[in-house]
Amino acid sequence: MKWMGLGGFKRLSVPSTAILGIALLYFICVILVSQTALRSRLQQSIESIASPGSSTTGEQPEWFSWKTGSQNKPQQQQPNLIQADAYSYVEPPSANNNKEEEPNMPSLPLVRLPGWPSEFPDSLDDYRRNVLRNTTWATEDAKHRAEIAPYVWHHRGRADELDEQSKSADAATSLAALREMAQLGILPAPPTRRANAYFVVLLRNRELNQFMATMRQLEDRFNKRYHYPYLFLNDEPFSQRFMQFVAASTTSNVTFATIPTDHWSMPDFVDEKEATEARRRMKESNVIYGGSLSYRHMCRFNSGFFYKHPLLQNVDWYWRVEPGVDFYCDLDYDPFMYMQENNKLYSFVIALKELEATIPSLWQHTLEYMQKTNATSDLMSFFVSKTGNYNLCHFWSNYEIASLNWLRSDAYDSYFKYLDRAKGFFMERWGDAPVHSIAAGMLLNRDQVHFFDDIGYRHESFMHCPDTVGSMSMKLRCQCPKRKNFDSTEGSCLPRWKSYMPNQWTQRDTNEALRLMREARIVNSVYDPKIVVERRRWYSFFSGF
């Protein structure tokens, strides 16, 4: 058979053409049969892996069963929070996101706290509604404890467990514990004195990745030596994924809880329509977070409610930690104990000026409150300009170590309640940082507030780090990035703090500041309309060109 170029097929004899057709058909059949067999074999392999114990080739790795998905797995009824063991965690129905299980997710024990309820009705939503409708609670704290109880989970870190085992009379147990402590970087002789303190973290499930790097730095720089516990708070229940990964990131104790509804909602004395309109106006004016209701809830919660949380009632100190921040310097001492032993009640790392558009009436309400309470302090003058107005300086509260007993005091709580009734958290956008700062100026003295110069810290684009000479003199181990230190910028209030000398603020100062403010308002009310009219006239004139 001879090929004649591209037209050679036309010159093949009939028998040759038939043989070629049969060969092609046979080849296609072989391919189809092979694909069917291969698909069948693959399906059998998947089924054997998806069904534990059915494989004849030995155990399959867990990660592969995750990749195959759940469509081939036998359907099993998942126990809910109520049906499960009262002292072990099962994802509550409201947190079920129907996503595939994440590979290599830790499986650490999450338990109930001693003294807290552990059994609840089948419907947690109904349970919460009944708690909120009940008007017979003896105290608000009892109501809040009952409301959040289904969502309170705890993990005991390895540091406490290994410390106990290392002191065992059994030599083998003690030696094994010491070896594991060495592997985990846990000091065999932890500090004998620790403050009654917590890291307090207000966080949402979606912010887990941001917080993991922050937590790693905090552990490496400080807490791996002291093992202070963490309290994580959320206005929604934490997911199992969140709790497992956080618990696996520290050898310290961690507790997870929700926020009582009363602490994260708009009070009855605020008109929702007016508040909505106020947010709209601030958003149109491009005020940062001006249109956000959740941001306002956060500021109000941090200003007047977090220290009332049921899990903090017996705690003396807190260190506020936020996601996405950096810690640059090793701490070889305990800041909590420093505060406690030196009569410090509030501390900061960064001081800056607030955006005036967010707090237009905060200073007036503060002065009126001080006038009614005859408040005096040698720190208040730090926050006042020469004209008697607020100079906008405040301590940035995304980092603060402070006394919970001070915040729970009648003096602070009275100031917060006065501000709350003024509606500025919702009608304006009052932040917790100026509220904490002005409260410190009004209720504390200069020597009760501490600046932690030796704590390298960054939040967003604002960074504080000790300078090179300062780091050497303080014998610090810091890894500060090569970026501008905020302390030396125009917006920093740190130079004012360093040069500030205590100056007693009296009732006469309060009255004078109010007088100056009212006079300025009268002047502005007289001249501002004329200015507006003139501007409109000139705008109309130039619009013709």
Side-chain angles (χ1 to χ4, degrees), residues 88-287:
S88 61
Y89 177 85
V90 176
E91 190 82 17
S94 60
N96 182 17
N97 52 17
N98 296 321
K99 292 183 179 180
E100 294 179 343
E101 184 179 352
E102 187 165 354
N104 303 320
M105 188 171 76
S107 182
L108 300 174
L110 295 170
V111 301
R112 295 297 186 187
L113 286 172
W116 281 73
S118 58
E119 297 181 3
F120 309 95
D122 289 337
S123 173
L124 295 185
D125 291 335
D126 290 344
Y127 170 85
R128 175 177 279 185
R129 280 192 289 268
N130 291 334
V131 169
L132 297 177
R133 282 196 295 259
N134 189 350
T135 58
T136 62
W137 297 104
T139 63
E140 277 195 347
D141 185 64
K143 171 187 173 182
H144 296 156
R145 285 174 65 91
E147 180 192 351
I148 70 173
Y151 309 103
V152 175
W153 294 100
H154 177 75
H155 173 69
R156 191 186 187 202
R158 287 295 287 159
D160 282 358
E161 295 176 345
L162 292 173
D163 182 54
E164 289 181 2
Q165 295 172 14
S166 67
K167 299 173 183 176
S168 171
D170 181 65
T173 301
S174 177
L175 181 60
L178 289 171
R179 285 175 176 171
E180 186 174 348
M181 291 171 74
Q183 292 174 350
L184 296 175
I186 300 173
L187 295 179
T192 55
R193 290 190 63 207
R194 285 195 307 178
N196 179 17
Y198 266 80
F199 294 108
V200 177
V201 190
L202 180 62
L203 206 60
R204 291 183 172 175
N205 289 306
R206 64 174 179 265
E207 296 173 310
L208 172 62
N209 291 338
Q210 286 179 275
F211 186 74
M212 294 296 284
T214 295
M215 191 174 190
R216 182 72 272 142
Q217 291 181 45
L218 188 57
E219 287 291 304
D220 290 344
R221 295 295 190 181
F222 166 70
N223 204 42
K224 68 180 181 182
R225 292 181 288 278
Y226 293 90
H227 305 293
Y228 278 103
Y230 292 81
L231 173 61
F232 291 86
L233 300 176
N234 193 346
D235 61 312
E236 298 177 352
F238 282 109
S239 67
Q240 185 178 18
R241 177 181 183 271
F242 182 98
M243 292 190 289
Q244 287 290 336
F245 276 105
V246 165
S249 299
T250 178
T251 55
S252 301
N253 296 345
V254 290
T255 304
F256 307 90
T258 52
I259 297 169
T261 302
D262 294 343
H263 295 174
W264 197 275
S265 57
M266 192 175 296
D268 296 337
F269 51 79
V270 175
D271 186 281
E272 290 193 19
K273 291 183 178 179
E274 292 181 6
T276 301
E277 176 62 19
R279 294 197 303 274
R280 185 193 64 79
R281 291 195 301 268
M282 294 190 77
K283 184 177 180 180
E284 288 183 351
S285 299
N286 295 318
V287 177

Side-chain angles (χ1 to χ4, degrees), residues 16-69:
S16 299
T17 304
I19 293 172
L20 181 60
I22 293 171
L24 290 173
L25 181 62
Y26 175 78
F27 184 68
I28 292 172
C29 290
V30 169
I31 292 175
L32 292 175
V33 171
S34 300
Q35 286 184 338
T36 302
L38 182 61
R39 187 179 294 110
S40 176
R41 177 58 180 167
L42 181 60
Q43 183 68 23
Q44 291 176 4
S45 299
I46 292 176
E47 290 175 355
S48 67
I49 293 170
S51 302
S54 63
S55 174
T56 59
T57 59
E59 252 181 69
Q60 300 294 333
E62 291 181 1
W63 62 265
F64 194 84
S65 63
W66 165 76
K67 283 192 174 184
T68 61

Side-chain angles (χ1 to χ4, degrees), residues 349-387:
V349 170
I350 293 176
L352 72 168
K353 293 184 178 180
E354 180 62 296
L355 298 174
E356 189 171 7
T358 65
I359 52 166
S361 68
L362 175 61
W363 186 242
Q364 177 185 345
H365 288 295
T366 296
L367 291 176
E368 291 171 351
Y369 175 81
M370 294 179 69
Q371 191 177 56
K372 292 180 180 180
T373 59
N374 296 323
T376 61
S377 165
D378 70 7
L379 181 56
M380 196 65 191
S381 297
F382 172 77
F383 299 98
V384 185
S385 66
K386 292 180 180 180
T387 61

